[in-house]
């Protein structure tokens, strides 16, 4: 009896657990149906019952010195035209009238309808507004339209690496910025989609905000022309010219080559063309020297008249550093050493400063931080050779003349702003203002990042030497009647951990020196072998300045030079 009871109890337990498993499976199935299947049904229902209407992307404008606006990126609607046979009352007649407005292959369309009369088919892609309106006036229920937004760039290649481009997302029905300003300001430019439901509820799309750039149209055209001429003359592979208002950081021109036609970006195979040089870093060479001389003067360790003995080379950690011409000059004062861009002088300054103060002045000039500009930055400044496991004497020595460290062009310009703007660094702004569809205007404002970076006394001292660079070494930058300060740089290019014979030549300068208004960087990549900055970047800089003097009617600040020139 006991065995029978146990078997009976076991059977009931088995039935009970089986029932629980079945119940659990049913509940799980229902939950799956609710959570997954029903969710999909709801999504399908939503997608089928609402039509998204894409917004127009905001336009982008540049201007001239009189604030006249020139469009550089525009958006407009185009329409894909569809025909839905089941809604047609007289298929033959309707298609005939449609063909009188847009070009279609009637026979081919009839054949497609015959194959599948219940499916809509596209008659034309990218019909314009005029064609759409004419088709609407036919009042055919069989015609419907799919709006798309087209992005056009009226000036083609101009500013292409800075603007970037935007593409229309067919799924999300919105235009998205991919590179450059189009990407950086995408949330302002893209606008807000509208919709139309099958119940007649309508919400119009909201156009994106417009951008007005600080870029000056005629200065941009001229700097691009000057750059292209320089690349051809010096057989350089590429280059960059950036012009900035020295006082408030407004970016007035960014010329870059190679570039590309924004309207044909799909044809580009070399994707590196989409990345601007202002987003990247490079070993800048001797344009770095003034910052360390500044540190030594500010710390009262030396003066411009202090001397050192130049043998033409320095050996550290079993590696030898030479002057650019491999010549020694004997007893040399530091003013001459910087003017003539002697590497031995920069190494001497780095040793006088010591490693801690060397790093201190790199930080003071913000090379340890990202530059502040309204543009996407891809690569950050790289000073890793100055810290463990590196940080040997040779690393600091080469960094003193801008090799072994990588710096962005914008970081260099913001650091030189200290000399041009009485010790103050501001943010750099490519975009002047944002204009919303409701006419509300947001103005991008200057922001002071650092003040009193160095003393006025030291600024005056270093600027006098930088003027001497132009007067005595980079003479091709000199313009009668105008005080100009600047520094050359010719940096070897690192390839597979070895420095090649190719160089990047740079010149960074500012003028008029008595009260600097403009700050300019010129960079030429891989000019013909044997050419250095004073023969390439420097004369290119001069051409830009000459144009700006005439264009902006800039008064000379060294009138005595002009008088002496005339008397002579």
């Amino acid at each position: 009896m006991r065995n029978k009871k146990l078997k009976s109890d076991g059977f009931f337990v088995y039935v009970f657990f089986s029932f629980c498993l079945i119940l659990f499976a049913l509940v799980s199935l229902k939950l799956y149906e609710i959570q997954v299947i029903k969710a999909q049904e709801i999504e399908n229902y939503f997608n089928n019952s609402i039509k998204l209407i894409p917004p127009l992307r905001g336009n982008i404008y540049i201007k001239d010195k009189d604030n006249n606006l020139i469009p550089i990126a525009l958006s407009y609607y185009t329409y894909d035209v569809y025909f839905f046979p089941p809604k047609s009352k007289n298929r033959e007649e309707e298609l005939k009238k449609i063909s009188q407005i847009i070009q279609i292959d009637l026979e081919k369309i009839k054949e497609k309808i015959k194959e599948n009369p219940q499916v809509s088919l596209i008659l034309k892609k990218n019909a314009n507004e005029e064609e759409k309106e004419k088709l609407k006036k036919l009042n055919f229920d069989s015609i419907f339209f799919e709006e798309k937004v087209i992005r056009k760039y009226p000036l083609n290649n101009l500013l292409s690496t800075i603007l970037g481009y935007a593409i229309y997302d067919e799924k999300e029905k919105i235009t998205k910025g991919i590179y450059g300003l189009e990407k950086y300001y995408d949330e302002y430019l893209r606008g807000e989609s509208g919709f139309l439901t099958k119940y007649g509820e309508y919400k119009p799309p909201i156009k994106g905000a417009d951008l007005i750039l600080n870029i000056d149209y005629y200065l941009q055209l001229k700097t691009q022309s000057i750059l292209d001429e320089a690349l051809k003359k010096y057989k350089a592979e590429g280059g960059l010219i950036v012009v900035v208002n020295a006082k408030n950081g407004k970016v007035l021109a960014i010329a870059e080559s190679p570039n590309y036609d924004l309207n044909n970006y799909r044809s580009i195979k070399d994707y590196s063309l989409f990345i601007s040089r202002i987003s990247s870093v490079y070993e800048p060479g001797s344009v770095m020297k003034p910052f360390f001389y500044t540190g030594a003067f500010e710390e009262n360790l030396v003066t411009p008249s202090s001397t050192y003995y130049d043998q033409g080379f320095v050996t550290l950690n079993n590696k030898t550093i030479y002057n650019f011409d491999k010549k020694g000059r004997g007893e040399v004062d530091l003013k001459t050493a910087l003017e003539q861009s002697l590497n031995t002088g920069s190494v001497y300054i780095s040793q006088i400063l010591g490693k801690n103060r060397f790093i201190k002045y790199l930080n003071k000039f913000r090379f340890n931080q990202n530059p502040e500009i309204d543009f996407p930055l891809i690569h950050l400044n790289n000073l890793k050779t100055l810290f463990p496991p590196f940080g040997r004497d040779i690393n600091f020595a080469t960094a003193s003349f801008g090799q072994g460290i990588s710096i962005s062009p914008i970081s260099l310009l913001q650091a030189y702003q200290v000399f041009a703007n009485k010790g103050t660094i501001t943010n750099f702004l490519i975009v002047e203002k944002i204009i919303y569809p409701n006419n509300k205007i947001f103005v991008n404002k200057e922001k002071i990042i650092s003040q009193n970076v160095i003393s006025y006394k030291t600024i005056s001292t270093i600027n006098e030497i930088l003027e001497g660079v132009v007067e005595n070494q980079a003479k091709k930058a000199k313009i009668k009647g105008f005080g100009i300060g600047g520094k050359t740089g010719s940096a070897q290019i690192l390839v597979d951990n070895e420095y090649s014979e190719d160089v990047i030549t740079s010149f960074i300068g500012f003028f008029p020196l008595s009260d600097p208004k403009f700050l300019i960087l010129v960079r030429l990549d891989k000019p013909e072998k044997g050419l250095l900055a004073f023969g390439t970047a420097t004369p290119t800089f001069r051409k830009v300045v000459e144009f700006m003097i005439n264009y902006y009617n800039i008064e000379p600040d060294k009138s005595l030079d002009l008088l002496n020139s005339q008397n002579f």
Side-chain angles (χ1 to χ4, degrees):
M1 282 292 288
R2 191 160 178 241
N3 287 337
K4 285 184 180 180
K5 188 172 185 345
L6 284 171
K7 285 181 181 179
S8 177
D9 288 345
F11 174 78
F12 282 116
V13 169
Y14 172 81
V15 170
F16 175 78
F17 276 109
S18 297
F19 175 80
C20 289
L21 285 171
I22 292 168
L23 183 62
F24 177 78
L26 289 171
V27 170
S28 297
L29 185 62
K30 192 64 180 174
L31 285 172
Y32 175 81
E33 182 183 358
I34 293 169
Q35 293 176 1
V36 180
I37 297 174
K38 288 294 183 186
Q40 188 64 49
E41 287 177 4
I42 291 167
E43 182 181 343
N44 289 337
Y45 174 81
F46 180 78
N47 287 336
N48 291 330
S49 67
I50 190 168
K51 178 188 175 186
L52 288 176
I53 305 171
L56 284 174
R57 191 171 178 83
N59 298 326
I60 303 176
Y61 300 89
I62 55 178
K63 57 185 182 177
D64 62 17
K65 64 180 180 180
D66 299 318
N67 289 318
N68 297 308
L69 298 182
I70 297 96
I72 197 164
L74 297 171
S75 288
Y76 57 90
Y77 284 117
T78 64
Y79 305 87
D80 290 348
V81 183
Y82 290 86
F83 185 77
F84 189 45
K87 288 281 189 179
S88 175
K89 293 172 183 174
N90 187 330
R91 194 179 301 163
E92 290 279 341
E93 186 64 26
E94 288 181 12
L95 286 172
K96 183 178 178 183
K97 287 186 177 181
I98 290 169
S99 68
Q100 292 168 359
I101 298 172
I102 58 175
Q103 188 175 355
I104 57 175
D105 187 335
L106 275 173
E107 294 307 315
K108 191 175 181 180
I109 287 167
K110 287 176 184 176
E111 189 177 317
K112 284 186 177 180
I113 293 172
K114 189 176 180 181
E115 289 173 3
N116 200 337
Q118 300 301 313
V119 176
S120 63
L121 69 156
I122 189 162
L123 299 181
K124 181 174 181 177
K125 292 181 75 70
N126 299 326
N128 60 38
E129 190 74 33
E130 182 182 356
E131 290 170 326
K132 185 202 98 171
E133 289 302 316
K134 286 181 179 179
L135 290 168
K136 278 182 72 176
K137 285 178 181 177
L138 296 175
N139 290 319
F140 294 158
D141 293 337
S142 56
I143 298 176
F144 65 95
F145 307 93
E146 186 72 25
E147 299 95 339
K148 292 195 301 188
V149 175
I150 298 293
R151 193 68 161 166
K152 277 290 181 185
Y153 301 93
L155 301 181
N156 301 317
N157 292 52
L158 196 71
L159 269 179
S160 60
T161 57
I162 301 305
L163 283 178
Y165 60 83
I167 60 173
Y168 182 68
D169 187 315
E170 293 277 0
K171 185 178 180 181
E172 295 186 26
K173 307 297 181 190
I174 203 156
T175 313
K176 296 179 178 180
I178 304 300
Y179 291 99
L181 294 177
E182 290 274 29
K183 179 177 182 179
Y184 190 89
Y185 283 96
D186 186 57
E187 64 179 298
Y188 301 97
L189 289 163
R190 63 164 52 193
E192 187 178 324
S193 297
F195 62 81
L196 175 66
T197 72
K198 67 181 181 182
Y199 305 110
E201 185 182 358
Y202 173 68
K203 178 182 178 290
I206 299 173
K207 179 182 175 291
D210 293 339
L211 301 183
I212 312 296
L213 308 190
N214 284 311
I215 300 292
D216 185 298
Y217 174 60
Y218 292 105
L219 179 60
Q220 179 67 33
L221 283 176
K222 188 62 178 179
T223 53
Q224 188 63 56
S225 173
I226 290 169
L227 177 61
D228 291 340
E229 287 173 11
L231 297 184
K232 185 176 179 180
K233 182 175 181 179
Y234 305 120
K235 299 178 182 177
E237 286 190 5
L240 175 71
I241 299 176
V242 183
V243 182
V244 180
N245 183 311
K247 296 188 183 298
N248 58 29
K250 290 184 178 181
V251 180
L252 305 176
I254 308 175
E256 190 166 4
S257 287
N259 48 50
Y260 62 99
D261 183 351
L262 287 162
N263 296 306
N264 292 299
Y265 66 85
R266 287 185 178 87
S267 66
I268 301 300
K269 301 292 186 284
D270 181 5
Y271 290 173
S272 68
L273 283 179
F274 299 144
I275 308 298
S276 171
R277 282 168 173 77
I278 72 169
S279 289
S280 303
V281 296
Y282 73 114
E283 295 191 21
S286 295
V287 290
M288 289 295 294
K289 289 176 178 176
F291 306 120
F292 307 115
Y293 277 80
T294 296
F297 296 154
E298 184 81 344
E299 297 286 338
N300 295 313
L301 299 172
V302 289
T303 68
S305 60
S306 299
T307 62
Y308 77 103
Y309 191 82
D310 171 31
Q311 298 183 78
F313 66 91
V314 179
T315 301
L316 295 167
N317 302 128
N318 298 317
K319 293 184 181 293
T320 302
I321 293 167
Y322 296 93
N323 288 329
F324 70 94
D325 57 4
K326 295 191 175 182
K327 293 179 181 179
R329 288 157 176 79
E331 197 78 17
V332 181
D333 65 75
L334 294 177
K335 180 178 185 295
T336 301
L338 182 53
E339 285 181 0
Q340 294 188 11
S341 201
L342 303 179
N343 289 342
T344 55
S346 295
V347 174
Y348 174 75
I349 287 293
S350 73
Q351 292 170 332
I352 289 291
L353 275 173
K355 293 179 181 179
N356 289 337
R357 281 185 294 218
F358 192 96
I359 296 292
K360 171 185 174 182
Y361 281 90
L362 279 171
N363 294 348
K364 266 184 167 287
F365 284 99
R366 289 180 55 83
F367 291 116
N368 64 326
Q369 299 179 59
N370 300 336
E372 293 212 16
I373 185 171
D374 54 341
F375 193 80
L377 301 172
I378 307 298
H379 300 107
L380 308 180
N381 295 339
N382 187 346
L383 306 175
K384 68 180 182 181
T385 57
L386 304 179
F387 299 93
F390 307 101
R392 297 185 302 162
D393 292 343
I394 188 66
N395 299 123
F396 280 84
T398 56
S400 74
F401 53 87
Q403 297 271 193
I405 57 175
S406 299
I407 308 295
S408 80
I410 299 303
S411 282
L412 286 168
L413 278 167
Q414 287 187 331
Y416 269 84
Q417 193 183 21
V418 171
F419 306 138
N421 195 31
K422 300 177 181 178
T424 298
I425 301 175
T426 67
N427 58 335
F428 281 13
L429 292 171
I430 301 174
V431 172
E432 179 193 24
K433 55 189 172 185
I434 302 169
I435 302 177
Y436 293 92
N438 61 4
N439 292 322
K440 181 182 177 183
I441 298 175
F442 172 80
V443 178
N444 261 344
K445 292 183 179 178
E446 167 197 350
K447 181 175 70 174
I448 293 174
I449 300 169
S450 296
Q451 274 184 302
N452 305 315
V453 175
I454 52 175
S455 66
Y456 288 169
K457 179 185 176 184
T458 301
I459 291 172
S460 178
T461 299
I462 203 73
N463 282 359
E464 184 179 334
I465 299 175
L466 293 179
E467 184 178 23
V469 170
V470 174
E471 295 288 330
N472 303 313
Q473 190 240 20
K475 295 179 182 179
K476 291 182 180 179
K478 187 176 178 181
I479 298 174
K480 287 283 185 183
F482 289 87
I484 298 172
K487 184 69 188 76
T488 54
S490 301
Q492 289 179 283
I493 299 172
L494 191 67
V495 179
D496 297 328
N497 293 319
E498 294 288 338
Y499 283 101
S500 69
E501 293 182 10
D502 291 322
V503 296
I504 294 176
T505 67
S506 304
F507 186 85
I508 303 176
F510 46 93
F511 81 104
L513 196 60
S514 59
D515 183 22
K517 293 180 174 62
F518 301 103
L519 183 58
I520 303 168
L521 177 145
V522 174
R523 166 183 160 180
L524 301 176
D525 298 353
K526 299 184 181 180
E528 192 172 22
K529 283 182 173 54
L531 294 178
L532 300 177
F534 55 77
T536 56
T538 298
T540 306
F541 169 89
R542 176 187 171 130
K543 287 182 180 180
V544 175
V545 174
E546 285 174 333
F547 173 80
M548 293 178 69
I549 288 169
N550 293 322
Y551 181 60
Y552 292 117
N553 297 314
I554 301 168
E555 292 292 328
D557 63 338
K558 296 181 73 175
S559 301
L560 193 60
D561 277 5
L562 290 174
L563 290 172
N564 291 338
S565 173
Q566 288 171 356
N567 291 335
F568 178 78

